[in-house]
């Protein structure tokens, strides 16, 4: 657990930099274990907690200020880099594709990807829920999403939405992924991990280092 552990005195910027480093490596995660120097477990810090910090008024001179005028389009995963599956794809196939591609989401669209054809987004949280609820892997993903999720539109942002506004929407809806729209089309997906990577990248710039390519 050493590579995913921080101490209580670690700053949120340090935590964001660690999440970014891991996301660009062979293993990616969006949670950090918080332990004392003696090894006592205190809790877990998630990428969504960093999003919550971005919404805090006290972060204006800290985390939020490091991101400057960044908008959703600056840090999202573009739709061309994401997997898109039809609604009649089997849940098993969708989860296997998400795992094999090392992505943290799959878009489900009925036809060519657009705001009108998008059915929903499958994420690792959905995969865990399917496991816990013993959902048959042979179920069609579109039918499963219909019963699982409410309309995705309240969880959407425009590509020019400020990053801090995106973080507030994530926190308010308690979700890790937002659909990014542009003139009625799906421009991409913004995740809490993308936010953490952006904060970590900004921290490296502040320290005088150029960030690695994300």
């Amino acid at each position: 657990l050493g590579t995913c552990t921080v101490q209580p005195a670690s700053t949120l910027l340090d935590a964001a930099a660690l999440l970014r480093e891991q996301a660009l490596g062979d293993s990616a995660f969006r949670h950090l274990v918080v332990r004392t120097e003696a090894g006592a477990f205190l809790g877990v810090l998630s990428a969504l907690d960093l999003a919550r910090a971005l919404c805090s008024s006290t972060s204006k001179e800290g985390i939020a200020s490091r991101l400057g005028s960044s908008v959703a389009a600056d840090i999202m995963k573009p739709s061309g880099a994401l997997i898109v599956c039809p609604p009649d794809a089997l849940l098993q196939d969708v989860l296997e594709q998400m795992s094999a591609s090392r992505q943290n989401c799959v878009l489900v669209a009925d036809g060519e990807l657009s705001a009108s054809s998008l059915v929903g987004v499958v994420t690792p949280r959905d995969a865990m829920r399917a496991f816990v609820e013993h959902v048959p892997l042979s179920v069609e993903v579109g039918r499963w999403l219909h019963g699982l999720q409410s309309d995705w539109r309240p969880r959407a942002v425009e590509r020019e939405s400020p990053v801090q506004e995106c973080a507030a929407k994530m926190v308010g809806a308690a979700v890790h992924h937002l659909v990014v729209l542009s003139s009625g089309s799906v421009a991409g997906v913004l995740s809490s991990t993308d936010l953490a990577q952006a904060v970590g990248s900004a921290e490296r710039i502040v320290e005088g280092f150029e960030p690695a390519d994300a």
Side-chain angles (χ1 to χ4, degrees):
L1 291 176
T3 58
C4 60
T5 300
V6 292
Q7 295 183 0
S10 300
T11 67
L12 290 176
L13 290 170
D14 289 337
L18 179 56
L19 283 171
R20 179 182 187 278
E21 179 181 337
Q22 294 301 320
L24 297 178
D26 293 333
S27 60
F29 46 75
R30 61 186 184 204
H31 295 81
L32 298 173
V33 176
V34 183
R35 292 181 181 273
T36 65
E37 290 187 6
F41 173 77
L42 295 181
V44 175
L45 178 71
S46 73
L48 195 57
D49 292 325
L50 291 175
R52 187 173 292 107
L54 279 170
C55 302
S56 170
S57 59
T58 59
S59 74
K60 291 181 179 179
E61 300 301 325
I63 295 178
S65 65
R66 305 295 176 99
L67 293 175
S69 59
S70 295
V71 297
D74 295 328
I75 64 175
M76 70 179 186
K77 292 183 180 67
S79 58
L82 298 173
I83 297 172
V84 182
C85 290
D88 59 357
L90 301 184
L91 178 59
Q92 178 175 345
D93 295 335
V94 173
L95 296 182
E96 287 178 349
Q97 288 187 62
M98 181 166 61
S99 176
S101 67
R102 302 178 64 81
Q103 296 283 6
N104 59 9
C105 69
V106 172
L107 300 176
V108 179
D110 189 6
E112 186 175 350
L113 180 62
S114 67
S116 60
S117 69
L118 184 63
V119 176
V121 183
V122 178
T123 70
R125 176 186 285 186
D126 297 324
M128 182 63 69
R129 181 170 182 175
F131 174 78
V132 171
E133 296 181 353
H134 304 288
V135 176
L137 294 177
S138 58
V139 68
E140 292 184 357
V141 68
R143 180 174 299 181
W144 179 61
L145 281 175
H146 181 72
L148 179 68
Q149 296 180 343
S150 58
D151 186 10
W152 59 265
R153 292 179 185 275
R155 300 191 295 275
V157 294
E158 293 294 327
R159 60 179 290 115
E160 298 304 321
S161 298
V163 167
Q164 196 166 359
E165 179 182 309
C166 297
K169 179 157 286 194
M170 278 187 190
V171 172
V175 296
H176 285 275
H177 297 80
L178 299 174
V179 176
V180 183
L181 302 176
S182 176
S183 301
S185 65
V186 178
V189 172
L190 175 62
S191 71
S192 59
T193 304
D194 297 326
L195 284 174
Q197 289 189 48
V199 173
S201 177
E203 172 65 357
R204 290 195 177 195
I205 294 175
V206 169
E207 292 176 349
F209 295 95
E210 288 296 328
D213 293 335

